[in-house]
Amino acid sequence: MKKHCLIYLSTFCFLILVSCSNTKYNYVGDAPREEEMAVTTNYSSTILPDDLLYIHVDSKTPQSVVSFNQETNQAAVTRNPQVHGYTVSNEGDIIFPILGRIHVGDKTTDQLAAYIEGRLVAGRYVKDPQVTVRLLNFRVTVIGEVTQPQQIHLNESRLTIFEALAICGDVTMDGLRNCVTIIRTEEGIHIVDTVDLTSREILNSPYYYLHQNDVVYVEPTNKKKRTSWRNDDWPQYLTTGAAAVRLGYTIYYRYAVRRYQDDLRR
């Protein structure tokens, strides 16, 4: 009877340890699985210098918007939309057909679309404009404990932190999912913050949707930090070190024996 109780107790403790050890690898582990959550975050980021913008104007009267879609029409002819667009200057401006110079540096893509629509209506160029603005050179950088650290390039600006990690092959077993660093640039200021991917709070975090030029750094665990000096060649280093010690001992031993023999001859 005692033997059976010991077995049951050991099995129970093992299951507890396994479940606890896997907790740190769960994403949004504290979120209810049958509860709806409203999306409150915004994925439209502020436009930055050197951004390449796709701007297209639609209307019920297509002829009225031909002049405003010069870049779009040119892209359609060359069949390479990535090389055509409006490059934002260092001052944060673009040159748009007929409307001229527009300052876009302090606007999001949604705000710029609304601004151009307002200018088209106010100038009586188009009665019912529908403007689409998106980034053609959206990029974020993911480094640290992921399978494939890389800079991600997309032709759209909607990318969640989970999608970015999936593109990089997910966080490794040596990465801290509850301490992921985000480096973001807003209005020339660098902002450094951390997020917890194991908490439901990430879904309402301003970092859930990544912005242009964001850097995502997955910190290694303490165990990985302690063993970071090691690499795949460390067995070879031990072998080489042992051989060097053995050679040194051999040389010393031969020298000592020869010296001893010389002393006997004297």
Side-chain angles (χ1 to χ4, degrees), residues 83-127:
V83 299
H84 296 285
Y86 298 91
T87 301
V88 182
S89 67
N90 292 332
E91 293 75 25
D93 300 332
I94 63 170
I95 304 299
F96 195 71
I98 300 179
L99 298 184
R101 183 178 299 274
I102 299 177
H103 185 70
V104 301
D106 57 351
K107 299 178 176 64
T108 66
T109 53
D110 293 338
Q111 290 171 344
L112 177 58
Y115 174 81
I116 294 177
E117 289 176 356
R119 287 283 304 274
L120 294 177
V121 173
R124 297 183 179 181
Y125 300 110
V126 184
K127 293 182 179 180

Side-chain angles (χ1 to χ4, degrees), residues 65-216:
V65 298
V66 171
S67 300
F68 301 102
N69 291 326
Q70 294 178 3
E71 293 292 336
T72 304
N73 296 335
Q74 189 175 8
V77 171
T78 59
R79 298 183 180 180
N80 191 356
Q82 297 185 17
V83 299
H84 296 285
Y86 298 91
T87 301
V88 182
S89 67
N90 292 332
E91 293 75 25
D93 300 332
I94 63 170
I95 304 299
F96 195 71
I98 300 179
L99 298 184
R101 183 178 299 274
I102 299 177
H103 185 70
V104 301
D106 57 351
K107 299 178 176 64
T108 66
T109 53
D110 293 338
Q111 290 171 344
L112 177 58
Y115 174 81
I116 294 177
E117 289 176 356
R119 287 283 304 274
L120 294 177
V121 173
R124 297 183 179 181
Y125 300 110
V126 184
K127 293 182 179 180
D128 56 346
Q130 293 182 347
V131 179
T132 301
V133 179
R134 58 184 175 87
L135 291 175
L136 289 176
N137 62 339
F138 180 81
R139 61 189 178 273
V140 298
T141 304
V142 183
I143 56 177
E145 287 300 325
V146 293
T147 304
Q148 297 177 335
Q150 60 183 289
Q151 188 175 76
I152 301 173
H153 296 265
L154 297 175
N155 289 332
E156 55 184 279
S157 58
R158 181 166 181 167
L159 180 71
T160 70
I161 189 170
F162 291 117
E163 291 170 336
L165 293 175
I167 293 174
C168 295
D170 202 4
V171 179
T172 67
M173 299 296 286
D174 294 318
L176 290 176
R177 287 164 171 78
N178 60 351
C179 187
V180 176
T181 300
I182 308 293
I183 303 175
R184 175 169 294 175
T185 302
E186 292 184 350
E187 298 180 357
I189 300 175
H190 294 296
I191 301 173
V192 181
D193 207 343
T194 58
V195 295
D196 183 358
L197 302 181
T198 66
S199 171
R200 64 184 294 180
E201 296 301 322
I202 184 61
L203 300 177
N204 291 321
S205 168
Y207 304 105
Y208 179 68
Y209 287 107
L210 297 177
H211 290 186
Q212 171 76 312
N213 295 328
D214 276 358
V215 177
V216 180

